[in-house]
Amino acid sequence: MDCYTANWNPLGDSAFYRKYELYSMDWDLKEELRDCLVAAAPYGGPIALLRNPGRKEKPASARPVLEIYSASGVPLASLLWKSGPMVSLGWSAEEELLCVQEDGVVLVYGLHGDFRRHFSMGNEVLQNRVLDARIFHTEFGSGVAILTGAHRFTLSANVGDLKLRRMPEVPGLQSAPSCWTTVCQDRVAHILLAVGPDLYLLDHAACSAVIPPGLAPGVSSFLQMAVSFTYRHLALFTDTGYIWMGTASLKEKLCEFNCNIRAPPKQMVWCSRPRSKERAVVVGWERRLMVVGDAPEGIQFVLDEDSYLVPELDGVRIFSRSTHEFLHEVPVASEEIFKIASMAPGALLLEAQKEYEKESQKADEYLREIQELGQLPQAVQQCIEAAGHEHWPDMQKSLLRAASFGKCFLDRFPPDSFVRMCQDLRVLNAIRDYHIGIPLTYSQYKQLTIQVLLDRLVLRRLYPLAIQICEYLRLPEVQGVSRILAHWACYKVQQKDVSDEDVARAINQKLGDTPGVSYSDIAARAYGCGRTELAIKLLEYEPRSGEQVPLLLKMKRSKLALSKAIESGDTDLVFTVLLHLKNELNRGDFFMTLRNQPMALSLYRQFCKHQELETLKDLYNQDDNHQELGSFHIRASYAAEERIEGRVAALQTAADAFYKAKNEFAAKATEDQMRLLRLQRRLEDELGGRFLDLSLHDTVTTLILSGQNKRAEQLARDFRIPDKRLWWLKLTALADLEDWEELEKFSKSKKSPIGYLPFVEICMKQHNKYEAKKYASRVGPEQKVKALLLVGDVAQAADVAIEHRSEAEMSLVLSHCTGATDGATADKIQRARAQAQKK
């Protein structure tokens, strides 16, 4: 245990810092680190290197090489840099490499050196050139800050949603600032810069001079500044050798340290962790590394070769040509367990477990001591927590064995934390492997989340490992295996040395009907890679037509899209394809395509009926569909034409079409309508009033109501209206006029073809019982009872029913017998019934 703490270095009285090796770097660097632009992504991310021509002279013909490595030094990509002079490199939060050129253009590359996109930082930057640049991270994404040759700053807080901000001018700034950085306050990015002994804070509106509180006197220049990983703290290195540390808002001082070195450092970064006991700053020179904080003495390390510092959430990564190390504050749980002469519960439990393996009785003594203090749950929890912060698997196992040993003596210790830690450590050990090269700590892993880690494994094309992690952690398929398989398939379609048939078959065999996988998305990627036939083959496996059709249209396979839309039975989808085809094809080809698809043709006709009538007529003409063409002209005569001549002409065209369709009934009806229209126009001219567009029956009724009985009768004869229908029309019209005298004359003009019961009913409907009785006496015997009941003569209706000996009529009369007055009538019917039964 004493040996284990040999690399612990105290910083003050409250904290220890340790530095351990992550990897022995086996990369074949072509340049020294001091001669390169270097960018390393946080959270154990990749490293990018590019020879900086400004630092080391080489022939102009020798183009620099952009190299990308994993954190363990495994090569990921290498490409010859053929673009403009580079000023700065940096990684985005999505692990995309941002390359800032001198002309203000930012080129974006993927992890494997694939070009993604580019954007410009504006015309002003182009004109004045870039002197310096910073890549920074905020809660909104990754940003870029530019210092131009005109000593002005331009900033974009999110390269994914580029919005350029030109920062205010610094008064009296004639040369580049001695140092500058980006800080984030109140969710807004600012620029902090040093000009001689003065500090200025630039926001979107103003330039403000700021003074660090408690700064030692005699400062004539700031040589370096650093913002913490969380943007909460700031460190300033002055030309007097003092390092001022405080809050990023420059409102509070934490401490100040005199390092007695006035030479400007190569790098200065913060080294702290969440809930840190002693926040520290790491300062690096050519061959020296110093860790300083709120303590009289710092920690010094001698560097054997050029090194580069990478700030992390809970420490600092330090890599050189030969090694990659991690420097961090020893976590509390580890410190309490491994500190020399520690009597913490976790330390005693670890000793108890080791003695137990030796079969020593001391195990029982240690265990009893912990139990007597009631600290066994705390001891188990300390061992579990310390195991998470250990890098080496052997120490992790030792601590977890101790935790498992202690759990055996607890009745109700929840196993969730132990099981979860075992799972997390197994995942972390897998990704820390040299060939994977992602040296995440436990704190970084929890901050990053498993979903982001899986995304990063997918970016590295480590699909098998990602799938194994998903299966081990039992993640839902849609979030885990399905998503990774979809990414694998999208990568597979980019392999152009394999035939379309083989790629499609391999993808289908691997994916099958895996839930959450969209073949259309994979097909879209294949189409984006120029493999249209492969995209079509992949779409055959897509079960959702709504996903197939849009991509087929995009690929200009409209006829195939139409077939798929029809197979789906989704009319909206068919309409979408039809409108696309209409815009894509000429009129003749479009109609020919429709003729081969009856369902599509029918739907398009329905569309044209409401939207494009002329197109509908052309369709009918092309198909020689005279029946529908006739119907079209009839609708057109009502919908479009206002003049009677135009309407008659349209109806004539419709009649001709019906004759061609051999539909004589429709043709005759159309001709009758033409005659009626002409007659109605003549009636309007002669009589006034409105007759046009009335039906034949309404025309007759209107004439009767107007007192034009002879014209009504003539119209009925001309259009062969049956007598029964004419009598009904006239009866109804005269009753509505309440012209009872004319109605009586009409009833006596000849024998009524509809009988006289309708007269009774119509009169009663008009509440004229007197007139109704006139016609009740003329009703035939078969309807006599009903007529008498309508006029309220129940007694006479009963006599007629008894005379007819009709059971139905007697029952009808009984149903109308109400009250005492009809009691005698009801008795009479009952007696008649009884006599009929005796006979």
Side-chain angles (χ1 to χ4, degrees), residues 347 386 411 554 778 799 823:
D411 294 333
K554 185 178 179 181
R778 301 171 63 182
D799 292 339

Side-chain angles (χ1 to χ4, degrees), residues 380-683:
V380 172
Q381 197 61 48
Q382 273 187 350
C383 290
I384 293 173
E385 186 179 343
H389 295 296
E390 294 302 317
H391 182 75
W392 306 110
D394 289 342
M395 185 53 69
Q396 296 168 5
K397 291 177 184 177
S398 178
L399 288 164
L400 289 173
R401 277 196 295 267
S404 179
F405 177 69
K407 280 196 316 107
C408 296
F409 299 95
L410 291 171
D411 294 333
R412 295 181 179 178
F413 186 84
D416 297 350
S417 59
F418 180 82
V419 173
R420 195 180 306 113
M421 182 59 74
C422 291
Q423 292 176 334
D424 292 341
L425 286 176
R426 189 169 181 182
V427 171
L428 285 172
N429 291 334
I431 63 173
R432 289 170 180 167
D433 181 82
Y434 173 82
H435 298 94
I436 307 302
I438 306 179
L440 282 180
T441 64
Y442 180 75
S443 299
Q444 294 169 18
Y445 170 68
K446 286 301 181 183
Q447 178 72 17
L448 200 63
T449 73
I450 185 63
Q451 292 298 336
V452 177
L453 175 59
L454 291 174
D455 288 340
R456 297 197 170 189
L457 291 174
V458 166
L459 279 177
R460 289 161 173 76
R461 299 170 185 166
L462 299 171
Y463 305 109
L465 176 60
I467 290 174
Q468 287 175 356
I469 290 174
C470 291
E471 292 173 345
Y472 174 65
L473 297 178
R474 299 179 181 177
L475 297 178
E477 281 202 18
V478 175
Q479 299 176 13
V481 175
S482 297
R483 188 166 60 95
I484 294 165
L485 286 174
H487 282 290
W488 166 81
C490 290
Y491 168 66
K492 188 77 174 173
V493 299
Q494 300 175 35
Q495 299 177 348
K496 297 189 177 181
D497 55 332
V498 186
S499 69
D500 295 344
E501 190 71 36
D502 291 341
V503 172
R505 188 185 308 110
I507 290 174
N508 180 246
Q509 288 174 351
K510 194 75 173 177
L511 270 61
D513 297 327
T514 305
V517 174
S518 171
Y519 280 96
S520 62
D521 292 342
I522 304 168
R525 179 63 65 88
Y527 177 66
C529 296
R531 304 184 71 172
T532 305
E533 293 303 320
L534 173 59
I536 293 173
K537 291 180 185 297
L538 289 170
L539 283 176
E540 292 296 328
Y541 301 119
E542 176 59 62
R544 297 167 296 174
S545 300
E547 299 292 330
Q548 290 178 315
V549 170
L551 185 57
L552 287 170
L553 292 176
K554 185 178 179 181
M555 294 190 295
K556 301 189 183 305
R557 299 300 178 98
S558 304
K559 294 182 181 178
L560 181 57
L562 181 59
S563 299
K564 294 293 182 184
I566 291 172
E567 289 174 11
S568 73
D570 187 342
T571 54
D572 290 339
L573 203 57
V574 177
F575 278 129
T576 300
V577 180
L578 288 175
L579 294 176
H580 185 88
L581 277 170
K582 182 186 174 187
N583 295 328
E584 184 182 72
L585 304 176
N586 61 54
R587 196 177 185 85
D589 293 341
F590 177 57
F591 285 171
M592 190 59 66
T593 302
L594 291 179
R595 291 186 69 178
N596 297 328
Q597 297 286 357
M599 178 184 172
L601 178 59
S602 176
L603 288 172
Y604 188 64
R605 283 173 178 167
Q606 293 296 325
F607 170 77
C608 290
K609 282 181 181 179
H610 299 284
Q611 302 290 336
E612 299 179 3
L613 294 175
E614 287 303 314
T615 304
L616 181 64
K617 184 173 73 171
D618 293 342
L619 279 172
Y620 291 147
N621 277 321
Q622 186 178 21
D623 295 342
D624 291 332
N625 192 340
H626 299 296
Q627 176 66 35
E628 291 296 337
L629 195 59
S631 300
F632 171 82
H633 285 297
I634 286 177
R635 285 193 296 271
S637 72
Y638 284 94
E641 293 290 347
E642 294 183 359
R643 296 179 301 105
I644 188 66
E645 295 81 5
R647 294 180 62 181
V648 170
L651 288 173
Q652 184 60 57
T653 306
D656 295 340
F658 286 135
Y659 276 123
K660 290 178 182 178
K662 297 182 179 179
N663 187 345
E664 292 190 5
F665 173 79
K668 293 291 186 185
T670 306
E671 289 176 346
D672 286 345
Q673 180 63 22
M674 293 161 53
R675 287 170 51 212
L676 181 61
L677 279 175
R678 294 191 186 101
L679 179 62
Q680 288 173 338
R681 168 53 61 85
R682 192 164 62 249
L683 288 173

Side-chain angles (χ1 to χ4, degrees), residues 88-113:
S88 181
L89 290 174
W91 290 94
S92 72
E94 294 79 20
E95 290 195 328
E96 290 182 325
L97 182 61
L98 307 179
C99 306
V100 184
Q101 294 187 152
E102 195 177 55
D103 59 0
V105 174
V106 181
L107 306 177
V108 184
Y109 288 87
L111 199 63
H112 297 277

Side-chain angles (χ1 to χ4, degrees), residues 714-729:
Q714 183 61 43
L715 184 62
R717 286 193 294 272
D718 291 344
F719 285 88
R720 299 177 183 175
I721 296 177
D723 281 350
K724 284 186 177 182
R725 193 173 305 166
L726 179 61
W727 273 67
W728 266 110
L729 291 174

Side-chain angles (χ1 to χ4, degrees), residues 703-772:
L703 285 172
I704 296 171
L705 291 174
S706 303
Q708 302 292 327
N709 292 315
K710 290 185 178 180
R711 283 181 181 267
E713 292 172 0
Q714 183 61 43
L715 184 62
R717 286 193 294 272
D718 291 344
F719 285 88
R720 299 177 183 175
I721 296 177
D723 281 350
K724 284 186 177 182
R725 193 173 305 166
L726 179 61
W727 273 67
W728 266 110
L729 291 174
K730 198 164 185 178
L731 170 61
T732 305
L734 292 173
D736 289 341
L737 286 174
E738 296 186 358
D739 190 349
W740 307 115
E741 184 178 349
E742 184 62 33
L743 181 61
E744 188 174 1
K745 289 180 182 178
F746 171 62
S747 69
K748 294 177 179 179
S749 61
K750 65 176 183 178
K751 184 178 180 181
S752 169
I754 59 174
Y756 292 97
L757 182 62
F759 285 80
V760 178
E761 292 172 339
I762 291 293
C763 290
M764 290 304 297
K765 189 176 179 181
Q766 295 293 334
H767 307 291
N768 193 333
K769 191 174 182 180
Y770 175 78
E771 292 293 332

Side-chain angles (χ1 to χ4, degrees), residues 10 19 22 28 38 80 86 121 124 128 150 172 187 211 399 402 426 463 566 615 624 641 648 756 793:
K19 180 162 68 76
L22 296 172
D28 183 21
V38 183
L80 198 64
M86 184 82 70
M121 294 299 291
E124 183 185 351
N128 296 304
R187 304 175 67 181
I211 300 174
L399 288 164
R426 189 169 181 182
Y463 305 109
I566 291 172
T615 304
D624 291 332
E641 293 290 347
V648 170
Y756 292 97
D793 196 345

